[in-house]
Every structure is written in C-alpha cells, then in structure tokens.
C-alpha cells in the first residue's frame, strides 16, 4: 500500500523509518518532509494544512493510509475534511476528528472531560474576558506557584508557572485583555501547581481497543538541569525507570481506560494516538495535558522500541481492528539527544552546513530542521537533529547517543549534556504493558 505521512520534524522521520521497513509499505510519501525523510521516501511539497491539495494527492497517488504527525491539521479538522469528501472518505487516516482533537486544542475542554470522567488532574477554574474580576480574586486565593494556561494551541508557549500572585494577575490580564496568545488566549485555565517528575505515556486506540506504547521522559527546557525557556523538547529517554508495575497499573485503570470510555460516552470516535502528559505526584499519576498525536522527540525513542509492524498497527487503528494485532517491544532502552541551532528557542541562523553525518554508522540520526543545499545537508530550523541510541540499560543508551553527538557539528551547535542524568538514580524497574 502507498502511505502518506504529514509533517516535517524528527517525529515524522521516525515514523518514516519504521514505516519504510514494513513489508506492507510500497511507496512512501512525506509532506513536506526534510532531508532525512528524503532518503526513505518521496518528499512532497504540500503543507499539512492544505487539505484540498492533500486530498487530490491521495487520489492521484492511490494512497491507502494517511498518518498525521503534528497537531495543527488535526485541530483544523483534517479527519472531518476526509469524511466530507466522497473520493477520500474511505481512505484510512490515523488521527482524531476535530472534536476529538480538542483533548489537545482546548485546555478547558480537556479539563472538563477529566472532571466529568473522574480522571486525576490538578484542580482548576476557567475564566474568559467577562470574568476578569472573579479571576483576579480567585488567583488571590490560590497557593503559589499557580499555573495559567491559554485555552488554545500556543505551540508549547501557552503555559505560565507564576511564582507570585502579582505575576499571575499580570499574566492573567495580558492573556485576556491584551490577547497575548491571540485566539488561543480567549479563555484561561487557572490551575493548581503539581510537584513531581513528569512522564509521557502514549496510547494508540481505535476507539474501543488500545495499546499502551513505551513510556518516555522528555526534557523540555533549553538549559542544563531543566533551566531556561521551554523548547519543543531537547531529548528523551525510554522507558522511564520509575514506571513500575504498580504505577503503570494506576495509569491504565485511572487514566487510559476512563479516557477511552469517556470519549465513547461523548460519542467521539477516536482513532489515533493519545499522548498523556503525566506527573508522578508521590507515586500517583496525574494528567497535566493530553495531546492528540505522538510527541517530538519522544517518538524518536518510542518507535525504535516497537518491534511489531507499525503499518499493520496504524492501518488497524484507522480501520477499527486494533484488537487483532499484537504489540511487541524491544526490551532495550533508548535515548535521544536533540542538537539545535545556537540561539534556539530565540533567534537563530539557518543554512549552516552540518559536518560529520557521513561518519555515523551505529546509531540513528533523525532529521528535524534540515534541508539539502545542492549535495550538502544544512540547518533549516531550531531543532536540527535528534540522535538516538539503544542500550541494555538507560545509562548505556545515554552514553552511546552522546558518542555520536560528539562526532557531529556545525557553527554554533548546541545540545544539553545532561539528558537522562536524573533517571540514572533509579534501578530500571520499568514495565511495559499492552492491554486491550
Ligand atoms: P503543557 O503545555 O500543558 O505541556 O505544559 C508545559 C509544562 O508546564 C509541562 O510540561 C509542565 O512542566 C508544566 N506544567 C503544566 N501544568 C502544570 C501543573 N499543573 N503543575 C506543575 N507543572 C505544570
Ligand atoms: N515533546 C513534547 C511534545 O511533543 O509536545
């Protein structure tokens, strides 16, 4: 079957690698892709939000499976577009409809959903511009720190952890009165701060049956020891050593099952990934956020640890027959280190030649912001590469990934040197379940 992946990051390169290895993949297309995906399939110059062009391409190239990488096309209703258009209605697509994608695209929707279905999450109240005074009074009654979240998609920048009531009131007014986050900030969720260590858990579901994929820990801040501004993600490790049987059992019974049952009860047909952003509060999993897609760079450690045929799994997800496939995992750990352009997440240069790529032999190099300039791979974004390595234990995976990182360079390259360090204190007790 011919397969189309939408997106252009390291996540989509990791999808492309796994999919290109499947005997079920004939032609692979990536729209728009990057220099890494060009080696695995054909890059197509179409934006993931250009629905009519995507639809025409699917028809003309007899695409039999569409996989949506990023959140924006899902939030804009790509699944609904396919369903409305007769000539592509039956083409399997992995990703929820617009209403299902609200788990990610509206923090208020997600919070109301969790409250209704008893899913553990931080206490909160939502306010809009007609409720400024009430909101300010509410903030005064909260403990510090307090978390403010713009309701809509804000590319990872819409969450502000405020260390004083004064700061919280200023941010609250900026969001609602000065449109600091544009449309995304027309409602604001004011939430209790949760103290603990974060973990990402990924679920693939066809709306009835589900598979829990390997867990991962993401490193979001730009600086060592989680300091400085937030980024798209500077590295990841899978599995997460503290995700033991007891913890994962709580995740499944208190979060995964009620989420899938809740979607069903709401009449939302959800066929795609659910990314649970969790925080471990004294061994109790709490939901910080839902995403309606895989994580980046978590995919670059999660997918290399899946040994079953990803095409079969994704096709079954879209067709509603996920219960008929088995999830098999590679028991090794994986670590990815993201190499970024100097200056990221602020201003950075593009078009800088990358050296050392031809010398990598053992580990995986996933491209994110790259492109070809004649025969040379050059930088083309903030996050440029994600280097993934396996190891019997996370310690070995971390060490091996850094060995490869040290052989690659370009002008002003930056990466964190502490990816995985916080996890090395735990014995690896991670368990991985896959239930229906
Ligand atoms: P989000 O965009 O929802 O992933 O939030 C970004 C980051 O803010 C998360 O990864 C957490 O580190 C942090 N965060 C969000 N909500 C909370 C909360 N209620 N308590 C503590 N930290 C939070
Ligand atoms: N790495 C976090 C995300 O993909 O949202």
């Amino acid at each position: 079957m011919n397969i189309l992946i939408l997106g252009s990051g390291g996540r989509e390169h990791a999808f492309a690698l796994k999919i290109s290895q499947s005997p079920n993949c004939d032609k692979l297309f990536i729209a728009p892709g990057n220099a890494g995906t060009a080696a695995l399939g054909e890059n197509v110059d179409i934006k993931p939000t250009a629905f009519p062009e995507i639809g025409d391409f699917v028809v003309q190239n007899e695409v039999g499976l569409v996989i949506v990488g990023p959140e924006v096309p899902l939030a804009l209703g790509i699944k609904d577009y396919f369903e409305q258009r007769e000539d592509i209605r039956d083409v399997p697509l992995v990703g929820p409809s617009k209403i299902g994608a609200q788990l990610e695209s509206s923090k208020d929707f997600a919070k109301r959903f969790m409250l209704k279905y008893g899913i553990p999450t931080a206490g909160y109240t939502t306010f809009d511009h007609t409720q400024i005074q009430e909101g300010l009074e509410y903030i005064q009654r909260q403990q510090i720190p307090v978390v403010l979240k713009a309701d809509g998609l804000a590319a990872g920048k819409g969450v502000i952890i405020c260390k004083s009531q004064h700061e919280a009131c200023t941010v609250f007014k900026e969001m609602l009165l000065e449109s600091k986050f544009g449309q995304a900030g027309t409602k604001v969720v004011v939430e209790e701060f949760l103290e603990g260590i974060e973990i990402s858990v990924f679920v693939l579901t066809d709306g009835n049956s589900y598979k829990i994929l390997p867990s991962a820990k993401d490193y979001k801040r730009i600086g060592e020891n989680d300091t400085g501004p937030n980024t798209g993600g500077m590295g990841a490790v899978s599995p997460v050593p503290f995700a033991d049987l007891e913890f994962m059992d709580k995740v499944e019974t208190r979060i995964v099952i009620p989420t899938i049952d809740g979607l069903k009860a709401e009449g939302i047909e959800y066929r795609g990934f659910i990314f649970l952003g969790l925080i471990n509060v004294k061994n109790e999993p709490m939901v910080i956020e839902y995403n309606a897609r895989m994580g980046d760079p978590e995919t670059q450690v999660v997918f290399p640890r899946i040994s079953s045929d990803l095409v079969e799994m994704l096709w079954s997800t879209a067709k509603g027959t996920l219960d008929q496939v088995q999830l098999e995992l590679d028991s090794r750990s994986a670590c990815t280190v993201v190499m970024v352009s100097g200056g990221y997440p602020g201003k950075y240069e593009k078009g800088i030649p990358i050296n050392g790529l031809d010398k990598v032999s053992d580990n995986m190099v996933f491209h994110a912001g790259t492109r070809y300039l004649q025969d040379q791979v050059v930088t083309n974004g903030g996050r440029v590469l994600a280097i993934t390595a396996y190891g019997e234990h996370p310690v070995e995976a971390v060490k091996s990934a850094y060995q490869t990182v040290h052989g690659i360079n370009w002008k002003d390259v930056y990466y964190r040197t502490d990816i995985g360090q916080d996890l090395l204190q735990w014995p690896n007790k991670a368990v991985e379940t896959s239930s229906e």
Side-chain angles (χ1 to χ4, degrees):
M1 127 180 57
N2 297 340
I3 300 175
L4 171 65
I5 302 172
L6 301 180
S8 62
R11 167 183 50 212
E12 287 75 22
H13 190 181
F15 268 98
L17 179 65
K18 221 44 214 152
I19 286 169
S20 66
Q21 292 165 346
S22 166
N24 291 310
C25 177
D26 294 324
K27 277 196 198 155
L28 175 61
F29 302 104
I30 310 96
N34 59 39
T37 61
L40 301 170
E42 187 182 326
N43 284 352
V44 183
D45 190 16
I46 303 179
K47 285 202 182 92
T49 49
F51 298 166
E53 279 174 85
I54 293 167
D56 294 347
F57 183 86
V58 164
V59 174
Q60 282 151 17
N61 294 277
E62 297 177 2
V63 169
L65 179 65
V66 179
I67 297 150
V68 187
E71 63 276 19
V72 174
L74 295 169
L76 291 175
I78 189 166
K79 170 82 175 157
D80 311 67
Y81 177 81
F82 268 61
E83 271 170 11
Q84 281 154 20
R85 198 171 134 174
E86 210 169 324
D87 57 347
I88 50 174
R89 181 172 297 156
D90 295 328
V91 178
L93 181 144
V94 180
S97 59
K98 188 171 182 167
I99 182 164
Q102 284 185 103
L103 279 185
E104 172 165 6
S105 65
S106 167
K107 304 262 186 215
D108 179 49
F109 174 89
K111 295 298 286 191
R112 278 189 282 124
F113 179 86
M114 287 187 266
L115 198 65
K116 184 164 175 188
Y117 294 101
I119 296 164
T121 188
Y124 82 105
T125 303
T126 303
F127 300 93
D128 65 21
H129 74 279
T130 64
Q131 299 162 303
I132 303 287
Q133 200 48 41
E134 280 158 83
L136 293 174
E137 284 164 16
Y138 179 83
I139 288 170
Q140 294 300 339
R141 294 196 299 273
Q142 302 312 300
Q143 293 207 330
I144 291 301
V146 62
V147 185
L148 265 57
K149 297 185 172 183
D151 176 55
L153 291 182
K157 298 190 180 79
V159 175
I160 320 265
I161 296 170
C162 301
K163 298 200 177 58
S164 70
Q165 253 104 8
H166 176 73
E167 182 190 359
C169 289
T170 307
V171 171
F172 182 78
K173 283 190 276 188
E174 280 172 358
M175 282 187 179
L176 286 177
L177 294 177
E178 292 162 33
S179 303
K180 188 166 180 193
F181 294 98
Q183 269 300 103
T186 52
K187 283 194 239 170
V188 175
V189 170
V190 180
E191 186 173 289
E192 172 198 0
F193 178 82
L194 298 174
E195 186 84 57
I197 183 159
E198 286 178 57
I199 169 172
S200 307
V201 173
F202 301 92
V203 181
L204 185 61
T205 181
D206 62 5
N208 288 305
S209 142
Y210 62 87
K211 309 280 179 209
I212 299 181
L213 307 181
S215 61
K217 180 158 192 304
D218 175 23
Y219 295 80
K220 284 203 174 79
R221 305 290 193 99
I222 188 75
E224 308 278 317
N225 301 315
D226 289 321
T227 51
N230 257 332
T231 69
M234 295 297 291
V237 176
S238 174
V240 182
F242 65 74
D244 58 13
L245 191 58
E246 190 191 344
F247 185 81
M248 289 308 291
D249 194 50
K250 289 178 188 168
V251 171
E252 184 166 6
T253 54
R254 297 180 192 173
I255 298 169
V256 176
I257 295 174
T259 298
I260 290 170
D261 287 350
L263 287 167
K264 240 191 286 184
E266 296 291 311
I268 299 173
E269 193 182 67
Y270 196 110
R271 294 184 177 178
F273 292 99
I274 304 178
F275 163 168
L276 304 169
L278 306 179
I279 195 153
N280 176 351
V281 184
K282 300 193 179 100
N283 259 338
E284 305 300 324
M286 310 275 287
V287 179
I288 292 234
E289 63 164 348
Y290 285 112
N291 293 307
R293 54 172 173 86
M294 280 300 291
D296 188 343
E298 292 94 325
T299 307
Q300 292 90 305
V301 287
V302 170
F303 278 12
R305 301 195 55 240
I306 295 177
S307 14
S308 21
D309 181 358
L310 189 65
V311 172
E312 194 188 6
M313 275 176 46
L314 295 176
W315 190 83
S316 308
T317 299
K319 296 294 279 184
T321 55
L322 189 59
D323 58 331
Q324 289 166 32
V325 300
Q326 286 292 323
L327 171 66
E328 278 154 33
L329 301 181
D330 187 320
S331 63
R332 288 176 293 175
S333 299
C335 168
T336 198
V337 177
V338 177
M339 304 178 75
V340 304
S341 299
Y344 174 80
K347 282 210 180 100
Y348 53 83
E349 257 181 83
K350 284 187 190 176
I352 303 173
I354 302 174
N355 309 309
L357 286 174
D358 49 336
K359 298 198 187 69
V360 181
S361 53
D362 41 354
N363 291 334
M364 290 161 270
V365 176
F366 294 112
H367 291 232
T370 66
R371 70 181 177 93
Y372 274 106
L373 187 65
Q374 281 111 33
D375 283 345
Q376 171 72 51
V377 180
V378 299
T379 63
N380 193 39
R383 291 194 292 174
V384 176
L385 300 172
I387 312 300
T388 299
Y390 289 116
E392 287 309 320
H393 185 276
V395 180
E396 288 150 31
V398 167
K399 198 166 152 207
S400 175
Y402 276 110
Q403 268 162 6
T404 299
V405 166
H406 295 150
I408 300 173
N409 62 74
W410 63 87
K411 184 168 85 69
D412 295 335
V413 59
Y414 172 78
Y415 52 86
R416 274 177 63 166
T417 63
D418 65 341
I419 301 303
Q421 290 307 319
D422 58 333
L423 297 178
L424 306 183
Q425 57 176 299
W426 272 284
N428 193 2
K429 290 197 290 179
V431 289
E432 290 170 315
T433 53
S434 153
S435 313
E436 314 276 313

